[in-house]
C-alpha cells in the first residue's frame, strides 16, 4: 500500500528515557486486548527497560508533533517479530494504524515480519489481515 508523503508519519526510535511513555501506552494495549497481564504501569516500565536493553527496539509513531502510537520489535530474529503495536485510542479510526505499520516496515527496511494475535481479539485479527497478514500457525498453551 502506498501513501503520499503527507500521509507518512514519523517513525522515531525510542531510548531508555522513553520507557515511561511506552509503559503507559503498553498498559492501554493490555487493556484493549483484554490480556491477562496483571502488571501496573511501574512494572511495565521495568519490563520495557528490560526489553530495550536486550533484543528489542521500540518506536514511536508521530503525527504533527504528537505521539499517536508505538511498536516494540524483536530485532534478533528472522523475520523480525512485532511484539507490541498500538495506536492510542484518541487517534483511532483515522487510518493511522495502517499508515504506522507500513511506515514502520519501510523504516526497518524489511518485507517480512511476524506477529501474534490473542484468539479473542477479533478487531486485532481483522486489522492485521487488512494489512496483508495471513495465519500460519496456532500457538497454544496448557495450564493444568
Amino acid at each position: 500500500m502506498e501513501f503520499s508523503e503527507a500521509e507518512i508519519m514519523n517513525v522515531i526510535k525510542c531510548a531508555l528515557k522513553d520507557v515511561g511513555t511506552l509503559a503507559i501506552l503498553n498498559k492501554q494495549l493490555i487493556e484493549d486486548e483484554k490480556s491477562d497481564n496483571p502488571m501496573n504501569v511501574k512494572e511495565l516500565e521495568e519490563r520495557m527497560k528490560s526489553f530495550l536493553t536486550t533484543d528489542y527496539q521500540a518506536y514511536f509513531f508521530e503525527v504533527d508533533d504528537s505521539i499517536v502510537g508505538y511498536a516494540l520489535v524483536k530485532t534478533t530474529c528472522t523475520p523480525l517479530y512485532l511484539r507490541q503495536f498500538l495506536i492510542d485510542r484518541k487517534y483511532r479510526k483515522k487510518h493511522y494504524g495502517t499508515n504506522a505499520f507500513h511506515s514502520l516496515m519501510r523504516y526497518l527496511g524489511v518485507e517480512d515480519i511476524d506477529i501474534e494475535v490473542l484468539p479473542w481479539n477479533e478487531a486485532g485479527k481483522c486489522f492485521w489481515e487488512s494489512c496483508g497478514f495471513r495465519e500460519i500457525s496456532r500457538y497454544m498453551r496448557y495450564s493444568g
Side-chain angles (χ1 to χ4, degrees):
M1 178 175 270
E2 292 296 318
F3 295 97
S4 72
E5 200 59 38
E7 293 173 308
I8 297 174
M9 62 184 58
N10 292 321
V11 177
I12 301 164
K13 186 176 177 181
C14 298
L16 284 175
K17 68 176 178 54
D18 299 313
V19 296
T21 303
L22 289 165
I24 291 167
L25 292 169
N26 187 203
K27 185 67 172 167
Q28 186 182 131
L29 176 64
I30 289 166
E31 293 167 357
D32 291 355
E33 290 184 323
K34 296 177 180 49
S35 171
D36 59 2
N37 183 333
M39 294 175 139
N40 62 38
V41 172
K42 189 67 179 160
E43 292 167 321
L44 292 170
E45 205 172 297
E46 290 303 313
R47 186 174 76 152
M48 194 62 72
K49 280 182 193 172
S50 175
F51 284 144
L52 296 183
T53 56
T54 57
D55 298 336
Y56 291 86
Q57 295 292 325
Y59 305 91
F60 285 135
F61 303 121
E62 182 186 73
V63 174
D64 296 329
D65 297 321
S66 295
I67 295 170
V68 301
Y70 84 104
L72 182 68
V73 179
K74 185 173 186 179
T75 57
T76 58
C77 54
T78 304
L80 299 179
Y81 174 64
L82 179 57
R83 182 181 179 121
Q84 299 173 3
F85 182 93
L86 172 87
I87 299 300
D88 191 309
R89 292 175 190 131
K90 61 185 171 236
Y91 296 104
R92 293 184 188 159
K93 305 294 182 197
K94 299 179 181 184
H95 302 284
Y96 284 166
T98 303
N99 197 333
F101 171 70
H102 289 288
S103 295
L104 178 66
M105 295 296 284
R106 279 191 298 276
Y107 181 92
L108 296 172
V110 298
E111 293 185 18
D112 301 318
I113 198 161
D114 286 339
I115 61 166
E116 290 179 69
V117 180
L118 295 172
W120 53 81
N121 185 356
E122 278 302 316
K125 185 176 183 277
C126 289
F127 169 74
W128 291 116
E129 287 173 345
S130 77
C131 287
F133 281 81
R134 63 182 171 73
E135 187 175 306
I136 60 169
S137 71
R138 295 216 177 198
Y139 183 91
M140 300 172 77
R141 175 176 295 150
Y142 172 78
S143 296

